[in-house]
Amino acid sequence: MKHVLPRIAMLAAMVAGVSACDPASTGGTTAAATTKPDPMEARIDALPRNLQETTLFRAIRDGGYTCQKIVRFEKHAPIDGHAVWIAECDDRGQYVITLQPDGVFWVSGVPQAKKQ
């Protein structure tokens, strides 16, 4: 059975839509065209898949979320020139993980309620 990340894909699309800007209307250029690739992104991309998962897991946990295991993740198209991954945890919590300068991750998502 093929699993998809519909809620997280929709969340990522909304984030991209909110942050998107038509450079022609502002007379500027896109952020991706004016920034250099982040060397940390290249380092993460060079890792074996299991270590990429571990890196994203640490970002989610360090963000204060209760994820116990990532069950799937994928790299998303850059948003405002920043590398982005989407991930789903075993509790069905879904996250958007954005790489900021200096290797800092911003994690946002749709976590599942904590069990009491």
Side-chain angles (χ1 to χ4, degrees), residues 92-113:
R92 301 187 49 88
Q94 299 178 348
Y95 305 92
V96 175
I97 305 158
T98 307
L99 180 62
Q100 300 298 312
D102 299 323
V104 175
F105 289 101
W106 283 359
V107 178
S108 58
V110 183
Q112 295 298 302

Side-chain angles (χ1 to χ4, degrees), residues 35-87:
T35 59
K36 298 188 307 187
D38 189 324
M40 184 60 74
E41 176 184 3
R43 290 176 67 189
I44 293 168
D45 288 345
L47 291 172
R49 186 149 174 95
N50 65 326
L51 292 180
Q52 290 177 5
E53 181 179 313
T54 300
T55 301
L56 299 176
F57 175 77
R58 284 298 341 149
I60 293 168
R61 293 292 296 193
D62 290 351
Y65 296 101
T66 60
C67 177
Q68 294 299 312
K69 179 183 179 187
I70 291 178
V71 293
R72 66 184 62 69
F73 73 93
E74 63 187 55
K75 193 164 184 181
H76 187 274
I79 298 175
D80 289 338
H82 298 285
V84 175
W85 292 265
I86 55 175

